Amino acid sequence: MTDHVSSPVAPTGARPRKARKAGSAAADRGILSPSDWRRRGVGSWLRLSHVLLFAGLVVGGLGPILWLAKSAVTPTQDTLRTPMAIFPNGVDWANLATAWTRFEIDLYFYNTIVLALGSWLIQVLVAATGGYVLSVLRPAWGRVATALVLSTLFIPAVVLLVPLYLTVLDVPVVHVSLINSWWGVWLPAGASAFNVILVKRFFDNLPREIFEAARVDGAGPFRVAWSIVMPMSRPILGVVSVFAVIAAWKDFLWPLLVLRDPAKQPLSVRLPALANYVELDVFLAALAISTALPIVIFLVFQRMFLSGAGLGGAVKG
């Protein structure tokens, strides 16, 4: 009888050690190989170029913001004489208080927050519901609606300015004027085809097995949307929120047309009007105040949609 000696068999799916090393090396290799990085002169020059590029990006991105923050608390004469000097004659914190109280920046700041919050709420509501209907519910007319929504992206915003203004001036059916009303800014902001398509594309990549399992368990469309889709959609809703708030914060032309009353106008409209009547240091302080909140909001929402927690806990096993 012949003895059969069984040789150890590698487990299924296991890769040889050399193959794993070769695969990891190929995955880690960039434009230059590790041997090129170890060559004399090549690695040092590349590291130096990386440092210079990073410094240029920092100066180009943060430089104007830091200069504005410095000029906001610098006297006018110092800003005009030595604009790049760092506090040659001290700091004047009174500029911020003067801009906030004397020139009613607090009122315009409040108006801007109201406009931004209303526009954000309307845009998130329209984008979330529109994307949910087109991507998750998928009605029979969904493809036609998606094509119509996409087609609106090819229409320049300037072309829609006059028809939209006439619509706000006399709303059809109800015949109500939205001039000098917050709704005149909020409602047109919600008609953002870009946000609807963005949310729809995100919903298309969600695992549909979860939706089917929820429907089998008896969950209706509203239950699926509230308990499953919305918790999984925090990253994309954070992106839409950043776009909505920043767009509303910097919008100039439409609030200028709709909000004729200066008491309801935002900072983007009132600051250019006050530029000729305000001293330079106070005006720069007002600009610094107007840019502080968008930067904070962007940083907060950036952490949200970069955290990658959108699918956390949704799929088990």
Side-chain angles (χ1 to χ4, degrees), residues 57-259:
L57 292 176
V58 171
V59 172
L62 296 180
I65 299 177
L66 295 178
W67 184 88
L68 179 61
K70 186 269 298 183
S71 301
V73 292
T74 302
T76 301
Q77 297 300 326
D78 294 342
T79 302
L80 294 177
R81 293 174 181 173
T82 55
M84 302 306 296
I86 301 177
F87 308 123
N89 295 312
V91 179
D92 188 3
W93 296 102
N95 294 341
L96 298 174
T98 304
W100 185 260
T101 57
R102 179 181 173 186
F103 296 100
E104 298 183 330
I105 298 299
D106 55 346
L107 174 62
Y108 308 136
F109 194 86
Y110 169 77
N111 295 340
T112 308
I113 292 179
V114 172
L115 289 178
L117 290 178
S119 300
W120 164 76
L121 181 61
I122 296 294
Q123 290 188 50
V124 169
L125 180 63
V126 173
T129 54
Y132 177 74
V133 170
L134 296 177
S135 178
V136 180
L137 298 184
R138 294 184 178 180
W141 42 267
R143 293 186 177 181
V144 178
T146 303
L148 293 177
V149 173
L150 279 172
S151 63
T152 60
L153 295 176
F154 297 94
I155 303 177
V158 179
V159 177
L160 302 175
L161 191 61
V162 174
L164 186 59
Y165 178 78
L166 296 177
T167 303
V168 171
L169 186 62
D170 185 13
V171 180
V173 181
V174 295
H175 298 289
V176 176
S177 177
L178 298 181
I179 300 298
N180 283 328
S181 173
W182 303 122
W183 292 100
V185 180
W186 292 342
L187 293 179
S192 176
F194 176 77
N195 289 338
V196 174
I197 297 300
L198 189 66
V199 175
K200 177 187 178 301
R201 295 295 298 172
F202 182 85
F203 288 170
D204 289 340
N205 295 325
L206 296 179
R208 302 197 63 84
E209 293 81 5
I210 302 177
F211 308 146
E212 299 298 334
R215 293 190 182 100
V216 171
D217 292 339
F222 293 99
R223 182 68 175 179
V224 172
W226 182 257
S227 301
I228 298 178
V229 177
M230 290 300 107
M232 297 169 64
S233 305
R234 284 180 295 176
I236 193 62
L237 294 182
V239 174
V240 173
S241 299
V242 171
F243 290 161
V245 172
I246 292 180
W249 199 274
K250 69 178 183 179
D251 192 12
F252 170 77
L253 182 57
W254 186 248
L256 177 64
L257 295 176
V258 177
L259 302 176

